[in-house]
Coordinates of all heavy atoms in Angstrom, one line a residue:
M1 N 6.5 -6.9 -6.1 CA 7.3 -5.7 -5.9 C 8.7 -6.2 -5.9 O 9.1 -7.1 -5.2 CB 7.0 -5.0 -4.6 CG 5.6 -4.5 -4.6 SD 5.2 -3.6 -3.0 CE 5.6 -4.9 -1.8
S2 N 9.6 -5.5 -6.7 CA 10.9 -6.0 -6.8 C 12.0 -4.9 -6.9 O 13.2 -5.2 -7.0 CB 11.1 -6.9 -8.0 OG 10.7 -6.2 -9.2
C3 N 11.6 -3.6 -6.9 CA 12.6 -2.6 -7.1 C 12.1 -1.2 -6.5 O 11.0 -1.1 -6.0 CB 12.8 -2.4 -8.6 SG 11.4 -1.7 -9.5
G4 N 13.0 -0.3 -6.6 CA 12.7 1.1 -6.1 C 11.5 1.7 -6.8 O 10.8 2.5 -6.1
H5 N 11.3 1.4 -8.0 CA 10.2 1.9 -8.8 C 8.9 1.4 -8.1 O 7.9 2.2 -8.0 CB 10.2 1.5 -10.2 CG 9.0 2.0 -11.0 ND1 7.9 1.2 -11.2 CD2 8.7 3.2 -11.5 CE1 7.0 1.9 -11.8 NE2 7.5 3.1 -12.1
C6 N 8.9 0.2 -7.7 CA 7.7 -0.4 -7.1 C 7.4 0.3 -5.8 O 6.2 0.6 -5.5 CB 7.9 -1.9 -6.8 SG 8.1 -2.9 -8.3
V7 N 8.4 0.5 -5.0 CA 8.3 1.2 -3.7 C 7.7 2.6 -4.0 O 6.7 3.0 -3.3 CB 9.6 1.4 -3.0 CG1 9.5 2.3 -1.8 CG2 10.2 0.0 -2.6
K8 N 8.2 3.3 -4.9 CA 7.7 4.7 -5.2 C 6.2 4.6 -5.7 O 5.4 5.4 -5.3 CB 8.6 5.3 -6.3 CG 8.2 6.7 -6.6 CD 9.1 7.4 -7.6 CE 8.7 8.8 -7.9 NZ 9.6 9.4 -8.8
A9 N 5.9 3.7 -6.6 CA 4.5 3.6 -7.1 C 3.5 3.2 -6.0 O 2.5 3.8 -6.0 CB 4.5 2.5 -8.2
V10 N 3.9 2.3 -5.1 CA 3.0 1.9 -4.1 C 2.8 3.1 -3.1 O 1.7 3.4 -2.7 CB 3.4 0.7 -3.3 CG1 2.7 0.4 -2.0 CG2 3.3 -0.5 -4.2
T11 N 3.9 3.7 -2.7 CA 3.9 4.9 -1.8 C 3.0 6.0 -2.4 O 2.2 6.6 -1.7 CB 5.3 5.3 -1.5 OG1 6.0 4.3 -0.9 CG2 5.3 6.5 -0.5
Q12 N 3.2 6.3 -3.6 CA 2.4 7.4 -4.3 C 1.0 7.0 -4.3 O 0.1 7.9 -4.1 CB 3.0 7.7 -5.7 CG 4.3 8.4 -5.7 CD 4.8 8.7 -7.1 OE1 4.5 8.0 -8.0 NE2 5.6 9.8 -7.2
A13 N 0.7 5.8 -4.6 CA -0.7 5.3 -4.7 C -1.4 5.6 -3.3 O -2.6 6.1 -3.3 CB -0.8 3.9 -5.1
V14 N -0.8 5.2 -2.3 CA -1.3 5.4 -0.9 C -1.5 6.8 -0.6 O -2.5 7.3 -0.1 CB -0.5 4.6 0.2 CG1 -1.0 5.0 1.6 CG2 -0.5 3.1 -0.1
H15 N -0.4 7.6 -0.9 CA -0.5 9.1 -0.6 C -1.5 9.8 -1.4 O -1.9 10.9 -1.0 CB 0.9 9.7 -0.8 CG 1.9 9.3 0.3 ND1 3.2 9.4 0.1 CD2 1.7 8.9 1.5 CE1 3.8 9.1 1.2 NE2 2.9 8.7 2.1
E16 N -2.0 9.3 -2.5 CA -3.1 9.9 -3.2 C -4.4 10.0 -2.4 O -5.1 10.9 -2.5 CB -3.4 9.2 -4.5 CG -2.4 9.4 -5.6 CD -2.7 8.6 -6.9 OE1 -3.8 8.1 -7.0 OE2 -1.8 8.5 -7.7
I17 N -4.6 9.0 -1.5 CA -5.8 9.0 -0.7 C -5.5 9.3 0.7 O -6.4 9.8 1.4 CB -6.5 7.6 -0.8 CG1 -5.6 6.5 -0.5 CG2 -7.1 7.5 -2.2 CD1 -6.4 5.1 -0.4
Y18 N -4.3 9.1 1.2 CA -3.9 9.4 2.6 C -2.5 10.1 2.5 O -1.5 9.5 2.7 CB -3.8 8.2 3.4 CG -5.1 7.5 3.7 CD1 -5.5 6.3 3.1 CD2 -6.0 8.1 4.6 CE1 -6.7 5.8 3.3 CE2 -7.3 7.5 4.8 CZ -7.6 6.4 4.2 OH -8.8 5.8 4.5
P19 N -2.5 11.4 2.2 CA -1.2 12.1 2.0 C -0.3 12.1 3.2 O 0.9 12.1 3.0 CB -1.7 13.6 1.7 CG -3.1 13.5 1.3 CD -3.7 12.3 2.0
Q20 N -0.8 12.0 4.4 CA 0.1 12.0 5.6 C 0.4 10.6 6.1 O 1.1 10.5 7.1 CB -0.6 12.8 6.7 CG -1.0 14.3 6.3 CD 0.3 15.0 5.9 OE1 1.3 14.9 6.5 NE2 0.1 15.8 4.8
A21 N 0.0 9.6 5.4 CA 0.2 8.2 5.9 C 1.7 7.9 5.8 O 2.4 8.4 4.9 CB -0.5 7.2 5.0
R22 N 2.2 7.1 6.7 CA 3.6 6.6 6.7 C 3.5 5.2 6.0 O 2.8 4.3 6.4 CB 4.1 6.4 8.1 CG 5.6 6.1 8.1 CD 6.1 6.0 9.5 NE 5.4 4.9 10.1 CZ 5.9 4.0 10.9 NH1 7.2 4.2 11.3 NH2 5.2 3.0 11.4
V23 N 4.2 5.1 4.9 CA 4.2 3.8 4.1 C 5.6 3.2 4.2 O 6.6 3.9 3.8 CB 3.8 4.1 2.6 CG1 3.8 2.9 1.8 CG2 2.5 4.9 2.5
E24 N 5.6 2.0 4.6 CA 6.9 1.2 4.7 C 6.8 0.0 3.8 O 5.9 -0.8 4.0 CB 7.2 0.7 6.1 CG 7.5 1.9 7.0 CD 7.8 1.4 8.4 OE1 8.3 0.2 8.6 OE2 7.6 2.2 9.4
V25 N 7.6 -0.1 2.8 CA 7.6 -1.2 1.9 C 8.9 -2.1 2.1 O 10.0 -1.6 2.1 CB 7.6 -0.8 0.4 CG1 7.7 -1.9 -0.6 CG2 6.4 0.1 0.1
D26 N 8.7 -3.4 2.3 CA 9.8 -4.3 2.5 C 9.8 -5.2 1.3 O 9.0 -6.1 1.1 CB 9.5 -5.2 3.8 CG 10.6 -6.1 4.1 OD1 11.4 -6.5 3.1 OD2 10.7 -6.6 5.2
L27 N 10.7 -4.9 0.4 CA 10.8 -5.6 -0.9 C 11.2 -7.1 -0.7 O 10.6 -7.9 -1.3 CB 11.9 -5.0 -1.8 CG 11.5 -3.6 -2.4 CD1 12.7 -3.0 -3.2 CD2 10.3 -3.7 -3.3
A28 N 12.1 -7.4 0.3 CA 12.5 -8.8 0.5 C 11.3 -9.6 1.0 O 11.1 -10.8 0.5 CB 13.6 -8.8 1.5
A29 N 10.4 -9.0 1.8 CA 9.3 -9.8 2.3 C 8.1 -9.6 1.4 O 7.1 -10.4 1.6 CB 9.0 -9.3 3.7
G30 N 8.1 -8.6 0.6 CA 6.9 -8.4 -0.3 C 5.7 -7.8 0.5 O 4.6 -8.1 0.1
T31 N 6.0 -7.0 1.5 CA 5.0 -6.5 2.3 C 4.9 -4.9 2.3 O 5.9 -4.3 2.0 CB 5.1 -6.9 3.8 OG1 6.3 -6.4 4.3 CG2 5.0 -8.4 3.9
V32 N 3.8 -4.4 2.6 CA 3.6 -3.0 2.8 C 2.9 -2.7 4.1 O 1.9 -3.4 4.4 CB 2.7 -2.4 1.6 CG1 2.5 -0.9 1.8 CG2 3.3 -2.7 0.3
Q33 N 3.4 -1.8 4.9 CA 2.8 -1.4 6.2 C 2.4 0.0 6.0 O 3.2 0.9 5.6 CB 3.8 -1.6 7.3 CG 3.4 -1.0 8.6 CD 2.4 -1.9 9.3 OE1 2.5 -3.2 9.2 NE2 1.4 -1.4 10.0
V34 N 1.2 0.4 6.3 CA 0.6 1.7 6.2 C 0.1 2.2 7.5 O -0.8 1.5 8.1 CB -0.5 1.8 5.1 CG1 -1.0 3.3 5.0 CG2 0.0 1.4 3.8
D35 N 0.7 3.2 8.1 CA 0.2 3.8 9.3 C -0.4 5.2 9.0 O 0.2 5.9 8.2 CB 1.3 4.0 10.3 CG 1.9 2.6 10.8 OD1 1.1 1.7 11.0 OD2 3.1 2.5 10.9
G36 N -1.5 5.4 9.6 CA -2.2 6.7 9.4 C -3.3 6.7 8.4 O -3.8 7.7 7.9
A37 N -3.8 5.5 8.1 CA -4.9 5.3 7.2 C -6.0 4.6 7.9 O -5.7 3.6 8.7 CB -4.5 4.5 5.9
D38 N -7.2 5.1 7.8 CA -8.3 4.5 8.6 C -9.1 3.4 7.9 O -10.1 2.9 8.5 CB -9.2 5.6 9.2 CG -9.9 6.4 8.1 OD1 -9.6 6.1 6.9 OD2 -10.7 7.2 8.4
D39 N -8.8 3.1 6.7 CA -9.6 2.2 5.9 C -8.7 1.2 5.1 O -8.2 1.6 4.0 CB -10.6 2.9 4.9 CG -11.5 2.0 4.2 OD1 -11.3 0.8 4.2 OD2 -12.5 2.5 3.7
A40 N -8.4 0.1 5.7 CA -7.4 -0.8 5.1 C -7.9 -1.3 3.7 O -7.1 -1.5 2.8 CB -7.1 -2.0 6.0
A41 N -9.2 -1.6 3.6 CA -9.7 -2.1 2.3 C -9.5 -1.0 1.2 O -9.2 -1.4 0.1 CB -11.2 -2.4 2.5
R42 N -9.7 0.2 1.6 CA -9.5 1.3 0.6 C -8.0 1.4 0.2 O -7.7 1.6 -1.0 CB -9.9 2.7 1.2 CG -9.9 3.8 0.2 CD -10.5 5.0 0.8 NE -10.4 6.1 -0.1 CZ -10.3 7.4 0.2 NH1 -10.3 7.8 1.5 NH2 -10.2 8.3 -0.7
V43 N -7.1 1.2 1.1 CA -5.7 1.2 0.8 C -5.4 0.0 -0.1 O -4.7 0.2 -1.1 CB -4.8 1.1 2.1 CG1 -3.4 0.9 1.8 CG2 -5.0 2.4 2.9
A44 N -5.9 -1.1 0.2 CA -5.7 -2.3 -0.6 C -6.2 -2.1 -2.0 O -5.5 -2.5 -3.0 CB -6.4 -3.5 0.0
H45 N -7.3 -1.5 -2.2 CA -7.9 -1.3 -3.5 C -7.0 -0.3 -4.3 O -6.8 -0.5 -5.5 CB -9.3 -0.7 -3.4 CG -10.0 -0.5 -4.7 ND1 -10.4 -1.5 -5.5 CD2 -10.3 0.7 -5.3 CE1 -11.0 -0.9 -6.6 NE2 -10.9 0.4 -6.5
Q46 N -6.5 0.7 -3.6 CA -5.6 1.7 -4.2 C -4.4 1.0 -4.7 O -3.9 1.3 -5.8 CB -5.3 2.8 -3.3 CG -4.6 4.0 -3.8 CD -5.5 4.9 -4.7 OE1 -6.7 4.7 -4.9 NE2 -4.9 5.9 -5.3
I47 N -3.8 0.2 -3.9 CA -2.6 -0.5 -4.3 C -2.8 -1.5 -5.5 O -2.0 -1.5 -6.4 CB -2.0 -1.3 -3.1 CG1 -1.4 -0.3 -2.1 CG2 -0.8 -2.2 -3.6 CD1 -1.0 -0.9 -0.8
E48 N -4.0 -2.1 -5.5 CA -4.3 -3.0 -6.6 C -4.5 -2.1 -7.9 O -4.1 -2.5 -9.0 CB -5.6 -3.7 -6.3 CG -5.4 -4.9 -5.3 CD -6.7 -5.6 -5.0 OE1 -7.8 -4.9 -5.0 OE2 -6.6 -6.8 -4.7
D49 N -5.1 -1.0 -7.8 CA -5.3 -0.1 -8.9 C -4.0 0.4 -9.5 O -3.9 0.7 -10.7 CB -6.2 1.1 -8.5 CG -7.7 0.8 -8.5 OD1 -8.1 -0.3 -8.9 OD2 -8.4 1.7 -8.0
A50 N -2.9 0.4 -8.7 CA -1.6 0.8 -9.1 C -0.9 -0.4 -9.8 O 0.2 -0.2 -10.4 CB -0.8 1.3 -7.9
G51 N -1.6 -1.6 -9.8 CA -1.0 -2.7 -10.6 C -0.4 -3.8 -9.7 O 0.3 -4.6 -10.3
Y52 N -0.6 -3.8 -8.4 CA 0.1 -4.7 -7.6 C -1.0 -5.6 -6.9 O -2.1 -5.2 -6.6 CB 0.9 -4.0 -6.5 CG 2.0 -3.2 -7.1 CD1 1.8 -1.9 -7.5 CD2 3.2 -3.8 -7.4 CE1 2.8 -1.1 -8.1 CE2 4.2 -3.1 -8.0 CZ 4.0 -1.7 -8.3 OH 5.0 -1.0 -8.9
D53 N -0.6 -6.9 -6.7 CA -1.5 -7.8 -6.0 C -1.5 -7.6 -4.5 O -0.5 -7.3 -3.9 CB -1.1 -9.3 -6.3 CG -1.3 -9.7 -7.7 OD1 -2.2 -9.2 -8.4 OD2 -0.5 -10.5 -8.2
V54 N -2.7 -7.7 -3.9 CA -2.8 -7.6 -2.5 C -3.4 -8.9 -2.0 O -4.5 -9.3 -2.4 CB -3.7 -6.4 -2.1 CG1 -3.9 -6.4 -0.6 CG2 -3.2 -5.1 -2.6
N55 N -2.7 -9.6 -1.2 CA -3.1 -10.9 -0.7 C -3.7 -10.9 0.7 O -4.3 -11.9 1.1 CB -1.9 -11.9 -0.7 CG -1.3 -12.0 -2.1 OD1 -2.1 -12.2 -3.1 ND2 0.0 -11.9 -2.3
A56 N -3.4 -9.9 1.5 CA -4.0 -9.9 2.8 C -4.1 -8.4 3.3 O -3.4 -7.5 2.8 CB -3.1 -10.6 3.8
V57 N -5.0 -8.2 4.2 CA -5.2 -6.9 4.8 C -5.2 -7.1 6.3 O -5.9 -8.0 6.8 CB -6.5 -6.2 4.4 CG1 -6.8 -4.9 5.2 CG2 -6.5 -6.0 2.9
D58 N -4.4 -6.4 7.1 CA -4.3 -6.6 8.5 C -3.9 -8.0 8.9 O -4.4 -8.6 9.8 CB -5.5 -6.1 9.2 CG -5.7 -4.6 9.1 OD1 -4.8 -3.9 8.9 OD2 -6.9 -4.2 9.2
G59 N -3.2 -8.7 8.0 CA -2.8 -10.1 8.3 C -3.8 -11.1 8.0 O -3.6 -12.3 8.1
R60 N -5.0 -10.7 7.5 CA -6.0 -11.6 7.1 C -6.1 -11.7 5.6 O -6.0 -10.7 4.9 CB -7.4 -11.1 7.6 CG -7.5 -11.0 9.1 CD -8.9 -10.4 9.5 NE -9.2 -9.3 8.7 CZ -9.3 -8.0 9.2 NH1 -9.0 -7.8 10.4 NH2 -9.6 -7.0 8.4
P61 N -6.2 -13.0 5.1 CA -6.3 -13.2 3.6 C -7.5 -12.4 3.1 O -8.5 -12.3 3.8 CB -6.5 -14.7 3.5 CG -6.1 -15.2 4.8 CD -6.3 -14.2 5.8
L62 N -7.4 -12.0 1.8 CA -8.6 -11.3 1.2 C -9.6 -12.4 0.7 O -9.3 -13.5 0.5 CB -8.1 -10.5 0.0 CG -7.2 -9.3 0.3 CD1 -6.8 -8.6 -1.0 CD2 -7.9 -8.4 1.2

């Protein structure tokens, strides 16, 4: 992730499955924090489907 487009794409991907989730993207750190989603693996899969690599869920490596 490197730009505003990436932030928008990741946020939209998460909102497709959890419309009320709060999504925070930190471009400098390359991280995404999602609050309001009950299935981290589902969120990770959704982000991957949007074209982004997911290296960890809840701080644990995949």
Side-chain angles (χ1 to χ4, degrees):
M1 298 181 302
S2 61
C3 65
H5 178 266
C6 298
V7 172
K8 185 176 179 180
V10 168
T11 301
Q12 286 179 336
V14 174
H15 284 160
E16 285 179 15
I17 56 173
Y18 292 107
Q20 300 303 318
R22 189 179 63 139
V23 180
E24 293 182 26
V25 179
D26 183 337
L27 290 175
T31 61
V32 177
Q33 174 76 35
V34 179
D35 294 319
D38 61 356
D39 187 342
R42 186 174 178 208
V43 170
H45 182 72
Q46 188 74 4
I47 292 171
E48 287 177 330
D49 282 352
Y52 298 90
D53 293 329
V54 177
N55 298 315
V57 174
D58 294 335
R60 297 181 310 254
L62 294 178

